[in-house]
């Protein structure tokens, strides 16, 4: 089964159940369940919106003092908005695009033209590429993808993307550049990524690999619009769920002593947070084992605020083989002389960068860029850093499906547990994306209503 079609069919069949469940039975009125949702990220908010629109009472419980979760828009200077979490909306991400349209949130082009710094040499966008042999080979690999059988996909899932590339003749500079670019997507070295997960991503994504759009004014605006319709009074921020008891009904207890009860629960939080909750009865052992296995990608976003956009092109991004790893213009389309460049590092580089001072990180950036862009040091106005590897709720940016995990671990994580339905980006066909979070939240809402 196609990776994307998997969840769409899951969603449709849940929708079918919903239709059947909401048909009026003669002489009876169907009792609507009360639902608690844990997590006010895009998955939890999308679930709450769906349920609210069906007239179902929802209570959303959120640990942080803000909504949006891993979507984290941040203002720099007077009015420049950057994303410290989820950034790009893909052209193929239909649900998030539909929601933006419905709520009147314009999406702006956020595609970039990639420059390269490799072995000390600078290559402007358009002047570098893979070898013609590797380009032809990779094109043929992508073209063959639709013909893969289920068994072929499972075989691919049993080894890593680096091995797959090597086995297919990728070597030397081509392999180095694939590692740099693809690890930016997955947040860790491609030696840790399932070959199936990676191939599916590249074969099924838009031309720019879903790095296409961004919500004008910040992606968090969508969370605010969702909250507006769900109703502020139904969302409890600053409430951290510590205990969940499931008997005839569900009882949720927060660390501040507040208790909530309902018929059903949607648990839309990252796997680390699921494990930290005290569940009564305890989580089934296959679910516990799956939670123990899944890792999340370590990403560090270091934002550098400059008094001038020395990079000149609005659509500037640059991948390097040095420790800042990947740079992109984070204030594209925002009118100002000033601008923000985000240095985006992954894996071990991210963990190391997260422990350094701003001064140290800025020096790394200058070491990488100054030979090619002169006089930039004096333009630096300020810096901000967020390391997702230490985020207390996810301990990573998004789930990282490694060897033999896509077909074995994800199905365990998706299973309903008594009154509890799970949602979140880690369960999505569009895994690792805001779109995936929304898809799973909506699917959980359908399942609850069924
Ligand atoms: C650095 C980075 C870059 C990214 N880039 C992109 C991108 O370019 N494009 C894209 O589409 N996506 C991107 N993503 C991924 C995207 O942001 C996520 O897939 C999505 O936001 C996850 O939503 P979610 O609702 O599943 O989880 P979350 O957003 O994590 O929401 C879960 C919520 O649950 C809360 N919570 C946890 N435990 C508890 C508890 N015990 N009690 C109460 N509340 C709790 C958390 O505080 C959180 O708010 C990126 C993410 C990061 C971090």
């Amino acid at each position: 089964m196609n990776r994307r079609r998997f969840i769409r069919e899951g969603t449709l069949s849940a929708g079918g159940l919903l239709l059947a469940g909401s048909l009026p039975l003669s002489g009876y009125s169907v009792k609507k369940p009360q639902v608690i949702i844990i997590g006010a990220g895009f998955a939890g908010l999308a679930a709450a919106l769906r349920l609210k629109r069906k007239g179902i009472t929802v209570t959303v419980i959120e640990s942080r003092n803000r909504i949006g979760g891993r979507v984290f828009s941040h203002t720099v200077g007077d009015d420049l908005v950057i994303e410290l979490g989820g950034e790009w909306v893909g052209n193929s991400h239909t649900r998030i695009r539909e929601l933006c349209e419905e709520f009147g949130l314009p999406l702006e082009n956020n595609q970039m033209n990639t420059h390269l710094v490799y072995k000390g040499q600078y290559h402007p966008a358009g002047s570098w590429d893979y070898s013609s042999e590797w380009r032809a080979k990779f094109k043929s690999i992508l073209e063959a993808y639709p013909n893969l059988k289920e068994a072929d996909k499972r075989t691919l899932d049993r080894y890593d993307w680096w091995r797959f590339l090597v086995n297919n003749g990728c070597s030397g500079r081509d392999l180095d550049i694939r590692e740099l670019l693809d690890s930016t997507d997955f947040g860790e070295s491609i030696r840790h990524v399932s070959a199936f997960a990676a191939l599916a991503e590249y074969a099924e994504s838009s031309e720019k690999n879903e790095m296409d759009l961004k919500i004008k004014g910040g992606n968090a605006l969508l969370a605010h619009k969702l909250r507006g319709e769900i109703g502020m009074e139904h969302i409890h921020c600053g409430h951290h769920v510590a205990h969940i008891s499931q008997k005839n009904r569900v009882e949720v207890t927060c660390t501040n002593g507040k208790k909530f009860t309902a018929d059903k629960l949607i648990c839309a939080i990252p796997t680390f947070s699921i494990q930290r909750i005290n569940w009564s009865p305890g989580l089934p052992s296959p679910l516990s084992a799956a939670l123990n296995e899944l890792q999340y990608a370590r990403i560090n976003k270091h934002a550098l605020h400059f008094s001038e956009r020395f990079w000149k092109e609005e659509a500037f991004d640059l991948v390097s083989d040095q420790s800042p790893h990947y740079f992109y213009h984070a204030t594209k389309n925002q009118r100002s002389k000033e601008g923000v460049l985000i240095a985006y590092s992954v894996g071990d580089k991210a963990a190391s960068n997260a422990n350094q001072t701003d001064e140290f990180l800025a020096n790394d950036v200058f070491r990488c860029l100054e030979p090619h862009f002169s006089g930039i040091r004096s333009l630096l106005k300020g810096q901000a850093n967020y390391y997702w590897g230490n985020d207390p709720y996810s301990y990573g940016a998004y789930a990282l499906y490694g060897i033999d995990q896509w077909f074995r671990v994800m199905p365990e994580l998706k299973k309903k547990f008594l009154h509890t339905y799970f949602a979140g980006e880690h369960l999505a066909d569009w895994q690792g994306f805001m779109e995936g979070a929304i898809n799973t939240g909506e699917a959980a809402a359908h399942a609850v209503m069924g």
Side-chain angles (χ1 to χ4, degrees):
M1 183 179 274
N2 174 303
R3 180 169 166 239
R4 300 261 139 76
R5 215 172 296 137
F6 180 76
I7 194 133
R8 261 192 233 128
E9 285 174 5
T11 311
L12 283 176
S13 62
L17 281 174
L18 159 71
L19 261 178
S22 43
L23 282 176
L25 301 171
S26 53
Y28 295 94
S29 67
V30 181
K31 187 178 171 283
K32 291 183 168 158
Q34 291 177 325
V35 183
I36 292 173
I37 298 169
I38 310 179
F42 275 21
L45 293 172
L49 182 74
R50 270 282 152 104
L51 293 169
K52 175 86 194 309
R53 286 182 174 177
K54 290 287 171 189
I56 291 176
T57 312
V58 288
T59 302
V60 183
I61 306 175
E62 168 57 51
S63 291
R64 300 181 211 251
N65 288 320
R66 61 170 181 86
I67 59 168
R70 281 172 277 166
V71 175
F72 186 17
S73 306
H74 174 75
T75 303
V76 174
D78 290 339
D79 55 2
L80 293 172
V81 179
I82 61 167
E83 303 298 337
L84 291 176
E87 182 96 34
W88 282 273
V89 172
N91 278 337
S92 321
H93 295 169
T94 49
R95 275 308 289 147
I96 189 167
R97 295 183 66 185
E98 283 165 7
L99 286 168
C100 288
E101 186 162 357
E102 202 183 320
F103 287 110
L105 293 173
L107 284 157
E108 292 182 321
N109 179 293
N110 200 34
Q111 293 176 331
M112 303 288 170
N113 298 321
T114 308
H115 302 234
L116 173 72
V117 169
Y118 178 66
K119 294 191 174 172
Q121 298 292 311
Y122 169 57
H123 306 271
S127 73
W128 64 275
D129 207 336
Y130 295 110
S131 66
S132 52
E133 295 77 23
W134 173 248
R135 257 186 295 138
K137 177 69 185 176
F138 197 60
K139 187 166 173 276
S140 72
I141 291 171
L142 296 184
E143 283 167 357
Y145 177 81
N147 303 324
L148 290 184
K149 306 240 172 345
E150 180 72 11
D152 302 325
K153 294 180 179 179
R154 285 178 182 268
T155 303
L156 280 176
D157 195 37
R158 294 200 190 99
Y159 59 107
D160 64 84
W161 182 232
W162 181 88
R163 184 81 51 192
F164 175 90
L165 295 172
V166 170
N167 290 353
N168 279 282
C170 187
S171 63
R173 178 181 180 274
D174 289 330
L175 185 58
D176 284 352
I177 295 176
R178 279 229 74 100
E179 167 74 77
L180 291 173
L181 289 171
D182 299 355
S183 63
T184 308
D185 293 333
F186 291 99
E188 293 283 341
S189 163
I190 58 173
R191 294 177 190 235
H192 303 307
V193 177
S194 148
F196 167 72
L199 182 57
E201 169 117 3
Y202 295 122
E204 296 179 16
S205 290
S206 65
E207 199 189 332
K208 286 273 188 183
N209 196 27
E210 309 303 341
M211 293 167 74
D212 297 312
L213 304 158
K214 189 155 101 170
I215 299 175
K216 184 178 166 69
N219 292 335
L221 290 178
L222 179 57
H224 298 157
K225 291 282 185 187
L226 295 171
R227 176 179 61 189
E229 188 171 332
I230 295 160
M232 305 264 278
E233 67 282 14
H234 297 298
I235 303 177
H236 302 266
C237 283
H239 284 59
H240 182 73
V241 173
H243 182 84
I244 294 171
S245 162
Q246 303 191 77
K247 291 181 186 146
N248 290 339
R249 279 166 62 82
V250 189
E251 184 182 85
V252 167
T253 309
C254 300
T255 45
N256 60 9
K258 294 258 179 67
K259 287 185 194 291
F260 300 86
T261 57
D263 302 302
K264 309 241 167 138
L265 176 71
I266 294 178
C267 186
I269 61 179
T271 54
F272 181 86
S273 289
I274 299 173
Q275 274 186 309
R276 294 302 278 257
I277 292 172
N278 175 10
W279 293 80
S280 167
L283 294 171
S285 40
L287 173 55
S288 283
L291 291 167
N292 272 330
E293 260 196 62
L294 190 64
Q295 271 292 350
Y296 278 50
R298 293 166 295 168
I299 293 177
N300 190 65
K301 278 198 176 186
H302 186 72
L304 299 115
H305 180 193
F306 288 99
S307 56
E308 276 175 38
R309 299 181 180 188
F310 65 82
W311 47 90
K312 308 288 186 239
E313 293 161 57
E314 278 292 285
F316 174 86
D317 72 352
L318 182 150
V319 71
S320 86
D321 53 3
Q322 299 179 29
S323 71
H325 195 91
Y326 171 65
F327 296 91
Y328 67 93
H329 178 199
T331 45
K332 185 181 170 190
N333 304 316
Q334 298 181 45
R335 280 199 195 197
S336 173
K337 192 167 169 248
E338 299 182 355
V340 177
L341 206 57
I342 285 189
Y344 186 107
S345 54
V346 302
D348 290 341
K349 285 183 191 172
S352 166
N353 285 340
N355 285 346
Q356 312 311 324
T357 61
D358 277 355
E359 190 192 1
F360 183 101
L361 293 177
N363 277 328
D364 265 0
V365 167
F366 294 137
R367 188 178 316 124
C368 182
L369 297 183
E370 256 182 338
H372 321 296
F373 300 86
S374 57
I376 61 178
R377 216 169 260 264
S378 59
L379 305 178
L380 184 62
K381 288 187 75 173
Q383 300 173 68
N385 199 78
Y386 198 86
Y387 175 51
W388 286 91
N390 281 344
D391 177 81
Y393 304 103
S394 56
Y395 278 90
Y398 35 78
L400 176 79
Y401 278 89
I403 298 166
D404 191 25
Q405 291 189 325
W406 188 271
F407 295 101
R408 193 174 52 78
V409 172
M410 196 193 277
E412 293 301 335
L413 297 172
K414 281 183 176 173
K415 282 184 191 160
K416 177 183 173 232
F417 170 44
L418 301 173
H419 307 297
T420 302
Y421 299 77
F422 293 97
E425 96 15 73
H426 59 288
L427 304 180
D429 201 17
W430 282 112
Q431 188 265 309
F433 291 105
M434 297 178 276
E435 172 76 6
I438 291 169
N439 295 156
T440 61
E442 293 185 338
H446 280 304
V448 158
M449 292 185 284

